[in-house]
Amino acid sequence: MPKSRTSSFTRRGFIAAGGALGLVAVLAACGGTDSAKGDGGKDNGAATSAAWTFKDDLGKDVTTKAQPKNIVAFTGTAAALYDYGVSVKGVFGPTKTADGKPDVQAGSMDISKVEILGNVYDEFNVEKYAALQPDLMVTNSWDGTYWYVPEASKDKILALAPHAAIKVGGDVTLDKALERTADLAKSLGADLNAKKTVDAKARFEAAAAKVREATKANPGVKVLAGSGADALFYASTPETSADLKYFKQLGVEFVTPEKLDEGGFFESLSWENVGKYKADVILLDNRTGTLQPEQLKAKPTWNELPAVKAGQITPRVTEPIFSYDKCAQILEDLAKSIQNAKKVS
């Protein structure tokens, strides 16, 4: 599970409330609510000139009076929709770095054309959100909650517009999360038969085959997924994140940590104990705010790891942008890492 860029790595964390004045009026202007449809809803969503409905992965039939136009989304979700040709008005979540450049989670999206409601965990400007008069808010869900929607202001935020979530943790694999994100994009007007999208999906499927081939051609390569922080190294289990679960299905042999922290996503290791698990390849969290290889050189125990000595460190896109375009590259890079790895553990 991805951890936020805060000093607290709780279950929600490894994962600016506005005033109430005017929110009721804006809610009335937005129109639409979550509702239980008598016909059970439609799994893939439906867009008509009248109402729009989409059954999200939290089991809600989300409806609006018409196809949503003013969409606000978690940055990574917005980046995936962008790849399908669906634009959003506002975003929340890591969007730009301290030097003003796009964060890795912004993907190909032009961040100058969106209103940034919050750029870090637990930051969400409710007044700005209300001013956008949102028709729909979308985000991901790792554990049944709305990713990057602050707990303190959640009720105000969710009351302003219909909201949908795509599941990316637990029992969901990468391919399923991709399908559901594509379903959402289609319901919002994306053409899934467009050449760009068809080609991207074909590339993804070919990349998946390359990973299978690499694991068969170079069996026994042990992979550890982890994330570096100042005081701790977080060793991730392959059982609860969509990407790692899918990689495992493709034949990747993971090192599975034994003593998972609350939430069941990772084990926290002090730097003195970072060598507890032996691996040939390390998939290292690439997100802004986590320690990268150049910074990790300052950790003596990191430098002693067999995979580090062998130069077998591969960036892990811990929070993938769930479009076939972006995930194809992830699989291609993984295939190369497995194919070229030497057994050093």
Side-chain angles (χ1 to χ4, degrees), residues 263-275:
F265 286 88
F266 56 89
E267 178 178 350
S268 301
L269 299 172
S270 67
W271 283 107
E272 290 79 8
N273 294 316
V274 73

Side-chain angles (χ1 to χ4, degrees), residues 2-3 5 104-105 227 285-290 292 318-319:
K3 63 184 186 308
R5 297 156 183 80
V104 293
Q105 294 192 62
S227 181
D285 189 344
N286 78 329
R287 291 172 300 167
T288 305
T290 63
Q292 299 306 304
T318 307
E319 293 186 57

Side-chain angles (χ1 to χ4, degrees), residues 137-155:
M137 184 192 78
V138 291
T139 185
N140 293 334
S141 182
W142 290 83
D143 57 359
T145 59
Y146 295 92
W147 187 232
Y148 265 82
V149 175
E151 187 66 26
S153 53
K154 177 185 68 176
D155 292 344

Side-chain angles (χ1 to χ4, degrees), residues 73-90:
F74 166 64
T75 301
T77 311
L81 292 176
Y82 181 89
D83 286 346
Y84 289 110
V86 178
S87 298
V88 305
K89 297 289 186 180

Side-chain angles (χ1 to χ4, degrees), residues 95-113:
T95 306
K96 64 179 179 180
T97 59
D99 59 4
K101 295 180 180 179
D103 188 274
V104 293
Q105 294 192 62
S108 303
M109 186 169 52
D110 185 347
I111 64 173
S112 70
K113 294 183 178 179

Side-chain angles (χ1 to χ4, degrees), residues 13-289:
F14 194 83
I15 327 206
L21 295 177
L23 296 190
V24 174
V26 175
L27 175 59
C30 290
T33 60
D34 294 340
S35 65
K37 303 288 288 183
D39 62 359
K42 297 181 179 180
D43 287 345
N44 292 342
T48 70
S49 58
W52 173 89
T53 184
F54 181 83
K55 187 163 188 173
D56 81 348
D57 291 348
L58 299 185
K60 292 184 177 180
D61 290 305
V62 185
T63 64
T64 62
K65 294 178 180 179
Q67 188 179 71
K69 299 298 181 185
N70 290 347
I71 303 168
V72 173
F74 166 64
T75 301
T77 311
L81 292 176
Y82 181 89
D83 286 346
Y84 289 110
V86 178
S87 298
V88 305
K89 297 289 186 180
V91 296
F92 54 95
T95 306
K96 64 179 179 180
T97 59
D99 59 4
K101 295 180 180 179
D103 188 274
V104 293
Q105 294 192 62
S108 303
M109 186 169 52
D110 185 347
I111 64 173
S112 70
K113 294 183 178 179
V114 294
E115 182 78 45
I116 300 174
L117 305 176
N119 198 53
V120 297
Y121 196 75
D122 265 350
E123 179 182 85
F124 194 117
N125 191 310
V126 183
E127 278 93 353
K128 283 186 178 181
Y129 178 54
L132 290 174
Q133 298 188 8
D135 299 321
L136 176 70
M137 184 192 78
V138 291
T139 185
N140 293 334
S141 182
W142 290 83
D143 57 359
T145 59
Y146 295 92
W147 187 232
Y148 265 82
V149 175
E151 187 66 26
S153 53
K154 177 185 68 176
D155 292 344
K156 289 180 180 179
I157 293 167
L158 298 183
L160 279 169
H163 37 277
I166 299 297
K167 196 174 180 182
V168 298
D171 59 353
V172 173
T173 52
L174 179 67
D175 54 338
K176 181 61 176 178
L178 281 167
E179 289 175 8
R180 292 296 291 139
T181 303
D183 289 342
L184 175 62
K186 180 180 180 180
S187 78
L188 294 171
D191 179 8
L192 299 190
N193 293 318
K195 186 178 187 304
K196 177 183 176 182
T197 299
V198 172
D199 289 350
K201 187 174 182 180
R203 180 186 171 197
F204 173 84
E205 292 170 348
K210 289 179 182 178
V211 175
R212 289 192 187 93
E213 292 167 2
T215 59
K216 290 178 180 179
N218 196 7
V221 172
K222 302 296 183 182
V223 178
L224 175 66
S227 181
D230 286 337
L232 297 168
F233 181 80
Y234 300 90
S236 295
T237 174
E239 302 300 333
T240 50
S241 297
D243 61 332
L244 301 184
K245 284 179 70 73
Y246 187 61
F247 300 165
K248 187 175 179 180
Q249 285 185 359
L250 297 179
V252 176
E253 297 183 42
F254 280 101
V255 177
T256 302
E258 301 167 352
K259 297 180 180 180
L260 301 180
D261 292 7
E262 181 184 358
F265 286 88
F266 56 89
E267 178 178 350
S268 301
L269 299 172
S270 67
W271 283 107
E272 290 79 8
N273 294 316
V274 73
K276 178 179 179 180
Y277 300 111
K278 307 301 181 184
D280 304 301
V281 174
I282 295 177
L283 293 182
L284 185 67
D285 189 344
N286 78 329
R287 291 172 300 167
T288 305

